[in-house]
Structures are given as C-alpha cells and as structure tokens.
Amino acid sequence: MLAEQKTIDQHLDPITIGLRPGLEGVPVTQSAICDIDGIKGELKYRGYPIADLAAQSSFLETTYLLIWGNLPSPQQLRDFEREVQMHRRVSFRVRDMMKCFPASGHPMDALQSCAASLGLFYSRRAIDNPQYVYDAVVRLIAKIPTMVAAFQLIRKGQDPIQPRDDLAYSANFLYMLTEREPDPLSARIFDRCLILHAEHSLNASTFSARVTASTLTDPYAVVASAVGTLAGPLHGGANEDVIKMLEDIRLPENSSSYLDKAIAHKQKIMGFGHREYKVKDPRASILQGLAEELFARFGKDEMYDVARALEKEASNRLGAKGIYPNVDFYSGLVYRKLGIPRDLFTPVFAISRVAGWLAHWREQLGANRIFRPSQIYTGVKTRKWKPAEERSTPENS
Ligand code: CMC
C-alpha cells in the first residue's frame, strides 16, 4: 500500500464520519405513498392496509390510488381501465426489436431495453404537462405486460399474440403469455399478486427511479433504470432463486442440513430477510394463502412442503435476528402454478412495481431536488503520471 493511502485510511472511522452503508436508516425523502411498520408487520398504501386492498381492490384501481393519491370514483376507474386497455398494443418496431434479442437473454434485460425504447416513440419530455404525465402512466401500465408476454413467445420462435379487448388486465396478460384464456380464479389470484407487489416505499428500484426522476428525464428512462435495479438477486431477482433453492433442497427433510451448510458458509437464504421487517412480511403471509387457494383447486406443488419445512427451520434459527420470509418466498410457487416460467417471475414483479415507480416519479417531481449525495474519498491523494515504459508494477506506477 502506498504511504499516502495509509495516511488517508487512518482518518476513516465510519462511525465518526457518519457513513451509513446501504443508507440504512437514513431518510432521503418525504413520501405519502406507502407506510411500513416492520415491527408489527404492517403495510399500507396511501393509508389502506395491504390485506384490504389485496382482498377487495383490483390492480388498476390500486395503481390509480398509488399514483393519484385517492381511490378513483367509478367513472374515473372506468376511464382509466378503458385508456389502459386502448394502449396495450406495442408498435411492430418494438416487437421487431425483440426479435433481434438473443432468445437466451434474460427477460429482465429484454424488458429494460423495451421500456427504455418507449422513450424513442414518445419522446416529448413535457413532464410538467398533466396530460403528458397521465398518458405516460397509461402507456407504461398498459404496455409493460404486453412486452413481457411478447418476449416470451418471440424467444420460443412464435409471433406474439395481440391483447384481447374483452379480457381484463390480469386475465389478458395470462392469455397473452400462455395463449389460453385463464380461469377466473387464476386471473383473480394473479391480480391480487400484482396488488401485493405494487409498492414498497424506498426499496432499491424505487430509489433508483427517484434518483433518475430527479434529473427531470422522461418517465421511460425512470422505469428502465428501475427495471435494471429490480433484476438483482438481492431485490426482485430473489423470487427466481427461491425456486432454484427449493428444487436443490428437494425434500422437506433436507431443509435442516441445507440450512446448516448455508449458515456455516454465511450464505443468504433466498426469500428471507428484509431491511424493513423484523417479522414475517405481511405480503408473504397473503401469498402463502393464495398459493394454498391455487393448490386446493389445481393440485399441490410438491415444493410447497419443502418451503414450509424451510420456513419453520429457518425461522427457528434466524428469527432471533429478525429474519423471516419476505415477499419473494412464496410468490414463485404461486406463479409456477399459474404457468409462468421461472425467469419471468421478476418481469412479473416489474409489471406490478411500475405502479409504485410511477407514483414516486410524480411525487419526486412535485418537490424535486436532484439527488447528489457525497462520498468520502479513500483513494491515493495525488500521483504523478509516467509513460508506460517507466511503470514497473501497478503499486509504484
Ligand atoms: N439468510 C441468512 N442470513 C441473513 C439473510 C438471509 N436471507 N438476510 C440477512 N441475513 C443476516 C446477515 O447475514 C447479517 O448477519 P450478521 O449481522 O450476523 O452478519 C444480518 O442478517 C443483516 O444482513 P444484511 O445483509 O446486512 O441485511 P440488509 O438489510 O442489508 O439486507 C436483504 C436485506 C433483503 C438484502 C437480505 O436480507 C438478503 O440478502 N436476503 C436474501 C435475498 C432476498 O430474499 N431478497 C429479497 C428482498 S425482499 C423483496 C425485494 O426487495 O425485492
């Protein structure tokens, strides 16, 4: 290590300089959208408990609530549903672009590219015009499911199928994806999953959306940056890894030894733990109930017993640290039963979370100041540049 570097590092006591890795516990904005009590295990959107919304609302009604702050009147809801329905189709140019994507590529990467591409089609950056804001919301809510379903068919070598105007939002997505009209129970359960995933305060992707929004760029860039952030395995990507983990464990009786090894190797148990919750995530409990409803009708997923055994064992061992199942633990089992392929679990999360991202986009614009945090520089203070032939090792170059 260089002498100058040592001098700088000695001054770096993270506590005295107030560094908070991961910004844990650091408020960076005010928000009226979502309220979490991580000790009581409570979640509310705009003051409404999540269990009430999941039981009684629809995804589009919840989206309206999140973005505009109040539940819509019957006429406002009808108008919003009709506008979304009218904008479901995507341009043949977007579909052709998807045909050029490698079929082996991850659908989240495809979705991020497609979301960003919408900015090319609707590039007027009139973010202070309420009509532009409304239209952008409608387009993003309407087109993201169509793009996810289209990529699924395109990568199988098929042409995407067009949305069906006689089907409601969630039924239409399942139809475009599976090429079969879903039964009402499956469509309703999927809609409830979308409600559960729609918003969750300042998680990583929403923070990313707000940072991007704070530059006053267009909403398509805001959503594209959030999609990229959601893709990571510590965030939305965990739902995919949970199923991989359950399949590795294979049998309920293996869960104890799996945990022994994982804990000994300091490996994270996917679908467990949350920065905000110190108890079981309320969404995980509701999703578990939805999984059971589906299993009662269509037959049990054999991985469900593995999941329950793992939850019991992991809660015994990690519960003292406040580590319990999060939203990603049971969602994959629900999606699997609905016929959704594993690598589409996170894109499905994005279909829903776009509502929250857009709510935060609007809120950010309402009282904007560009995000520009500071850092503590820990590098070498000053170096003298030398031509390549005079450099020996990287250390004394
Ligand atoms: N399995 C085992 N130990 C865990 C886990 C876990 N899943 N999560 C946290 N811990 C332990 C961690 O090892 C650490 O222990 P120690 O203090 O002894 O070193 C302590 O708990 C704190 O962990 P952390 O990583 O500092 O906590 P964080 O608040 O930074 O991370 C998290 C939160 C969700 C990223 C983390 O719990 C995790 O990686 N979970 C697994 C991935 C996952 O399920 N992600 C989905 C999150 S919820 C939905 C979403 O955001 O999309």
Side-chain angles (χ1 to χ4, degrees):
M1 191 183 278
L2 291 174
E4 305 96 296
Q5 193 158 2
K6 264 188 208 150
T7 321
I8 293 163
D9 284 347
Q10 277 161 8
H11 295 293
L12 285 178
D13 171 7
I15 295 171
T16 46
I17 57 177
L19 195 68
R20 301 295 288 270
L23 293 181
E24 181 168 3
V26 180
V28 295
T29 190
Q30 291 185 305
S31 179
I33 302 171
C34 170
D35 189 21
I36 300 170
D37 184 327
I39 304 297
K40 290 192 192 149
E42 288 177 358
L43 167 63
K44 292 179 190 151
Y45 296 167
R46 302 278 190 191
Y48 294 97
I50 189 65
D52 293 355
L53 292 169
Q56 289 160 64
S57 185
S58 68
F59 173 64
L60 287 185
E61 184 184 69
T62 298
T63 298
Y64 191 102
L65 166 73
L66 286 168
I67 298 176
W68 283 287
N70 290 303
L71 285 169
S73 68
Q75 188 58 46
Q76 284 169 326
L77 181 59
R78 275 194 298 276
D79 289 347
F80 185 54
E81 286 171 343
R82 199 192 55 246
E83 301 262 0
V84 168
Q85 187 209 68
M86 278 164 46
H87 285 88
R88 282 171 182 169
R89 286 178 168 69
V90 295
S91 158
F92 74 92
R93 292 176 201 279
V94 175
R95 295 200 303 269
D96 285 354
M97 178 180 79
M98 277 191 249
K99 288 180 186 162
C100 300
F101 293 166
S104 58
H106 196 285
M108 278 301 269
D109 295 328
L111 179 60
Q112 190 182 21
S113 309
C114 290
S117 79
L118 292 179
L120 293 160
F121 295 94
Y122 312 105
S123 63
R124 202 165 55 97
R125 230 174 250 170
I127 53 177
D128 43 5
N129 174 343
Q131 190 61 46
Y132 172 87
V133 170
Y134 185 83
D135 292 345
V137 165
V138 165
R139 284 194 190 106
L140 280 157
I141 298 291
K143 292 184 195 304
I144 284 193
T146 310
M147 296 188 301
V148 171
F151 183 65
Q152 168 64 5
L153 294 198
I154 287 170
R155 69 178 173 167
K156 289 198 293 182
Q158 295 170 229
D159 275 329
I161 51 179
Q162 292 293 345
R164 255 180 53 188
D165 287 347
D166 61 320
L167 293 178
Y169 188 84
S170 287
N172 176 62
F173 171 70
L174 292 175
Y175 161 73
M176 289 189 299
L177 186 73
T178 61
E179 305 168 83
R180 278 195 325 269
E181 185 177 333
D183 64 279
L185 177 73
S186 300
R188 176 64 190 140
I189 285 189
F190 183 71
D191 203 65
R192 294 174 73 186
C193 291
L194 296 185
I195 295 170
L196 292 171
H197 287 84
E199 161 61 6
H200 209 238
S201 79
L202 223 55
N203 55 85
S205 59
T206 303
F207 184 43
S208 177
R210 283 192 86 123
V211 171
T212 309
S214 80
T215 70
L216 304 185
T217 186
D218 67 71
Y220 308 102
V222 168
V223 168
S225 77
V227 171
T229 310
L230 184 70
L234 294 186
H235 193 6
N239 56 13
E240 216 182 290
D241 290 340
V242 168
I243 295 292
K244 281 186 213 148
M245 174 183 72
L246 297 178
E247 285 174 348
D248 283 349
I249 299 173
R250 217 164 42 85
L251 295 168
E253 52 270 36
N254 296 342
S255 55
S256 176
S257 58
Y258 176 89
L259 279 172
D260 287 341
K261 274 194 220 128
I263 292 170
H265 291 96
K266 294 204 169 296
Q267 214 179 295
K268 295 270 178 73
I269 316 302
M270 297 321 262
F272 271 77
H274 202 284
R275 181 70 65 78
E276 294 288 317
Y277 295 111
K278 298 304 158 214
V279 294
K280 186 169 175 178
D281 184 329
R283 300 166 300 171
S285 305
I286 300 173
L287 282 159
Q288 186 174 4
L290 297 182
E292 286 177 359
E293 261 187 71
L294 278 175
F295 299 155
R297 172 76 76 88
F298 302 110
K300 196 156 93 182
D301 184 321
E302 54 189 9
M303 288 302 117
Y304 183 55
D305 287 339
V306 179
R308 279 202 312 180
L310 187 70
E311 175 178 352
K312 190 160 170 266
E313 292 282 347
S315 304
N316 286 341
R317 292 175 211 206
L318 301 170
K321 280 189 182 178
I323 297 166
Y324 289 98
N326 60 46
V327 70
D328 288 321
F329 193 63
Y330 287 107
S331 63
L333 290 172
V334 175
Y335 295 152
R336 213 153 93 128
K337 204 69 203 168
L338 293 173
I340 298 171
R342 189 164 73 192
D343 64 359
L344 290 190
F345 294 173
T346 319
V348 162
F349 194 156
I351 288 175
S352 162
R353 187 54 61 84
V354 72
W357 295 331
L358 291 170
H360 282 268
W361 168 56
R362 281 200 69 229
E363 191 174 63
Q364 182 64 35
L365 295 185
N368 191 50
R369 188 161 187 224
I370 191 166
F371 278 99
R372 205 325 180 175
S374 56
Q375 61 161 26
I376 287 131
Y377 177 68
T378 60
V380 179
K381 205 155 192 178
T382 311
R383 282 165 152 177
K384 192 163 163 33
W385 186 89
K386 288 179 194 167
E389 32 322 336
E390 289 176 30
R391 299 171 208 157
S392 45
T393 62
E395 286 233 324
N396 64 9
S397 65

